[in-house]
Amino acid sequence: EELIDAIVEEQGITHLEAEFQVEAAEEEAGLADEHQEEVTEGLADAQQELEELQAELVQAVAEGQEVPPAAAELIAEAHARLEECQNALVDGRYGESFGQFTAASHLIDNAESFLEGEVSSEELTVIVESTQERRIEDHQQYVEDYEEHVEEW
């Protein structure tokens, strides 16, 4: 993402055009295949891990533990990232797929840390809020770039 931002700034092009440039360069360098392979291998494991976390969260609530809404939001956000990962993989956007997979993996790690008592409710809330803000910003940027690209055509 930082690379794409730097290209946008340096070349004065849209975010979408910069993404295309990065994906083309990754394909040339063989990174797209690496990204595709890593995501394909790890996706099923990540989905299973997320399902287990969700079950643990339900169990914790059933046992009367105080679980902040941010925990459920974190799991929902991880689900959304994995879904975006799958969509990008199907569309052949391997760099995007890898990025979404990585984001989902970090969210899963944070959820595990919370359930193990390593992350506080307050820290969890900050993680969820920053993740959601970034996702909204990314979506808005994508829409703006798409609209600009359409207008140019």
Side-chain angles (χ1 to χ4, degrees):
E1 193 65 34
E2 291 174 11
L3 175 62
I4 291 171
D5 291 340
I7 291 171
V8 167
E9 192 172 311
E10 182 179 306
Q11 296 183 11
I13 59 176
T14 67
H15 205 77
L16 189 59
E17 290 169 318
E19 284 181 30
F20 288 141
Q21 283 185 6
V22 169
E23 286 177 13
E26 286 177 345
E27 274 188 43
E28 277 185 36
L31 291 175
D33 292 337
E34 264 185 50
H35 290 322
Q36 180 184 12
E37 187 177 320
E38 186 171 341
V39 169
T40 302
E41 289 175 1
L43 194 55
D45 290 340
Q47 289 170 327
Q48 182 177 351
E49 219 175 317
L50 196 54
E51 288 174 16
E52 290 170 4
L53 278 172
Q54 199 163 9
E56 286 179 39
L57 186 67
V58 168
Q59 172 117 14
V61 170
E63 292 174 355
Q65 291 179 324
E66 189 174 323
V67 178
E73 291 172 19
L74 185 68
I75 289 174
E77 187 67 28
H79 271 293
R81 294 291 181 147
L82 286 178
E83 187 174 307
E84 289 175 21
C85 170
Q86 286 179 312
N87 291 339
L89 191 61
V90 168
D91 292 343
R93 296 178 288 123
Y94 304 122
E96 172 71 16
S97 180
F98 180 76
Q100 294 298 334
F101 175 75
T102 302
S105 296
H106 288 293
L107 292 169
I108 291 168
D109 290 345
N110 286 322
E112 286 175 341
S113 294
F114 170 74
L115 289 172
E116 292 170 0
E118 297 170 6
V119 173
S120 70
S121 296
E122 293 79 18
E123 291 171 312
L124 190 66
T125 300
V126 169
I127 291 167
V128 169
E129 288 173 354
S130 66
T131 301
Q132 290 173 337
E133 287 171 8
R134 179 66 180 183
R135 193 163 187 258
I136 290 167
E137 288 170 7
D138 287 348
H139 181 72
Q140 288 172 336
Q141 184 67 49
Y142 182 82
V143 168
E144 289 171 10
D145 288 348
Y146 182 79
E147 289 172 348
E148 184 178 320
H149 192 69
V150 168
E151 288 174 8
E152 289 175 6
W153 281 43

